[in-house]
Amino acid sequence: MDKDYIVFGKPEILDAEIDEVVDSLRKNWLGTGPKVKRFEQQFADYKKVDFSQVAAVNSCTAALHLSLLAAGIRPGDEVITTAMTFCATVNAIIHAGATPVLVDVLPDTFNIDPAAIEDRITESTRAIVPVHYSGNPCDMEAIMKIASRHDLKVIEDCAHALESDFRGQPLGTFGDYGCFSFYATKNITTGEGGMVIAKSPEAINRIKTLALHGMSTDAWARFSDDGYKHYQVTQAGFKYNMMDLQAAIGIHQLERIEANWEKRRALFARYHQAFADLPVQLPVAEDDMGRSAYHLFPILLHDSAAVSRDEFMVKAHNEGIGTGVHYLSIPTHEFYKNAFGWNENDFPVAQTIGQSTVSLPFSPSLGESEIIRIIDTTRRILTT
Ligand SMILES: *Cc1c(COP(=O)(O)O)cnc(C)c1O
């Protein structure tokens, strides 16, 4: 690939991360150990929760799956989520044995429409999984009210929302569980990785047991110098634990999170200004709902734009700029259509977003000349 190609979602890996990984390798400690613990403590401090309320796992998908199981979701249950999310949100619900039920989104934030949630609640509904799209907070006041009225669990998909809050309270701390992603393109990365925040230490113990083969939680102490300990398998669990090699990267990523958030915020403002006159809908800025993590910069092309969304992506690629789609709406995928009989036309807002938006490169590691190229190329493709 051309060395000048601007990759979409390029992570920022500095010497601190590289040295920390090498340190783990030299110490011969690769798996779950002291660095995972350090990363969990650092994460808990950042989100203003206790160490006993967090568990590191190997992806946000794992975090969602285990949270649903720990919340007691079982086959036959229905779980409400948004039609505008990554497939992992819906797959986790399916893997928990439950039936996903979709709700359309709001046209400005692309977040689940709280007013439409209640219409979809039945006797079988047990949980709501809101997704804070691009890090813009969902209306957690409205969602928590609905949940408490109908006695539903809430599991927040915070894959985009690491730095976000709703009216001052960190996202992921409203629901019973909050699930975070450290995938390579997310605001901080561990390569692959995830984290769960739970309201109670008991819930975190359930998660930790499920994340490690269903072995009793003190089995985590097996990864220490204290000598051999017997463990009991208490249920058929999974293999979802985070490695020290991953935490080694995350520790230093988390140290820079606020500095990089400032860069994202500045780039957001700059793109907004540069594209204000284009035939596109720009992503909403922060409002009184709270702080955004500024995870993505999706532009929604109006019909009056010079090209379609797909043509835009091809042209941008040919000019050395990688872009992304977040996301095709969930019911457009054949598998879900066949499994649940969904029709994308029943979710018109998500459908339009899926057909007409493209996410521009939006990483704090972009250099000045790259930003100028992205702006100039985007303007040119959309106007000529
Ligand atoms: C990335 C993402 C996930 C999955 O995260 P992984 O860590 O890759 O498993 C889930 N939900 C949303 C909204 C995401 O963007």
Side-chain angles (χ1 to χ4, degrees), residues 140-141 144 154 156 165-166 169-176 199:
M140 290 314 293
E141 190 183 325
M144 295 312 293
V154 174
E156 293 174 72
D165 67 44
F166 176 76
Q169 182 180 332
L171 291 186
T173 66
F174 286 86
D176 301 272
K199 280 232 174 343

Side-chain angles (χ1 to χ4, degrees), residues 30-46:
L30 314 184
T32 305
K35 285 185 189 174
V36 169
K37 199 168 169 186
R38 201 171 126 200
F39 184 49
E40 287 175 331
Q41 181 66 64
Q42 202 184 341
F43 186 88
D45 292 345
Y46 180 68

Side-chain angles (χ1 to χ4, degrees), residues 2-7 270-271 275 312 315-322 360-361 366-381:
D2 179 351
K3 70 171 170 35
D4 293 329
Y5 194 89
I6 301 173
V7 176
R270 190 161 167 194
Y271 278 171
F275 303 140
F312 178 92
K315 288 195 169 187
H317 170 74
N318 290 340
E319 302 218 24
I321 296 173
L360 301 178
L366 289 170
E368 179 60 23
S369 62
E370 292 177 314
I371 293 170
I372 290 170
R373 250 179 71 204
I374 294 163
I375 290 174
D376 290 351
T377 309
T378 300
R379 289 193 57 84
R380 184 156 32 76
I381 297 173

Side-chain angles (χ1 to χ4, degrees), residues 77-362:
D77 293 346
E78 291 177 5
V79 175
I80 292 177
T81 192
T82 159
M84 180 40 57
T85 184
F86 185 54
C87 57
T89 317
V90 178
N91 290 347
I93 294 168
I94 297 169
H95 291 316
T99 303
V101 173
L102 299 183
V103 168
D104 206 356
V105 294
L106 298 165
D108 53 349
T109 58
F110 303 1
N111 276 334
I112 192 165
D113 179 0
I117 291 177
E118 235 160 354
D119 294 343
R120 308 305 312 273
I121 293 175
T122 71
E123 276 182 4
S124 303
T125 309
R126 294 287 175 271
I128 308 172
V129 182
V131 178
H132 307 290
Y133 183 96
S134 188
N136 268 317
C138 294
D139 184 344
M140 290 314 293
E141 190 183 325
I143 290 172
M144 295 312 293
K145 262 192 200 145
I146 295 167
S148 100
R149 197 152 53 229
H150 298 273
D151 194 21
L152 306 177
K153 301 283 186 187
V154 174
I155 295 144
E156 293 174 72
D157 182 336
C158 299
H160 298 183
L162 198 47
E163 304 95 322
S164 306
D165 67 44
F166 176 76
R167 301 196 178 131
Q169 182 180 332
L171 291 186
T173 66
F174 286 86
D176 301 272
Y177 300 89
C179 301
F180 295 83
S181 175
F182 311 125
Y183 177 66
T185 58
K186 298 295 172 19
N187 284 15
I188 75 167
T189 186
T190 61
E192 300 280 1
M195 190 78 75
V196 182
I197 296 180
K199 280 232 174 343
S200 71
E202 294 71 34
I204 281 298
N205 284 342
R206 280 203 294 282
I207 298 266
K208 288 201 162 189
T209 298
L210 284 165
L212 198 64
H213 307 296
M215 298 188 319
S216 51
T217 38
D218 29 310
W220 286 75
R222 212 161 57 88
F223 299 111
S224 75
D225 303 324
D226 301 343
Y228 186 82
K229 286 199 188 78
H230 289 292
Y231 55 85
Q232 276 293 315
V233 175
T234 58
Q235 58 201 300
F238 302 87
K239 189 65 186 359
Y240 283 168
N241 55 307
M242 179 182 276
M243 303 166 76
D244 263 26
L245 283 179
Q246 296 167 303
I249 303 172
I251 285 166
H252 297 283
Q253 292 268 309
L254 198 47
E255 280 169 359
R256 296 197 303 273
I257 191 168
E258 285 298 301
N260 278 337
W261 179 82
E262 292 291 353
K263 287 187 198 169
R264 287 176 182 281
R265 190 166 66 147
L267 184 54
F268 187 94
R270 190 161 167 194
Y271 278 171
H272 243 267
Q273 205 169 21
F275 303 140
D277 61 331
L278 294 181
V280 299
Q281 176 185 318
L282 296 173
V284 286
E286 286 176 306
D287 56 17
D288 58 356
M289 288 274 224
R291 187 194 214 221
S292 175
Y294 295 113
H295 176 55
L296 298 169
F297 199 93
I299 56 175
L300 189 151
L301 276 57
H302 293 317
D303 292 341
S304 54
V307 290
S308 71
R309 188 274 308 281
D310 287 357
E311 287 164 351
F312 178 92
M313 294 183 79
V314 170
K315 288 195 169 187
H317 170 74
N318 290 340
E319 302 218 24
I321 296 173
T323 56
V325 174
H326 301 90
Y327 300 93
L328 296 183
S329 85
I330 290 290
T332 60
H333 297 283
E334 283 305 314
F335 168 75
Y336 302 121
K337 271 198 220 288
N338 294 335
F340 303 108
W342 291 335
N343 182 336
E344 60 264 42
N345 299 321
D346 294 337
F347 308 90
V349 183
Q351 166 81 339
T352 302
I353 295 166
Q355 286 173 339
S356 310
T357 59
V358 53
S359 298
L360 301 178
F362 188 59

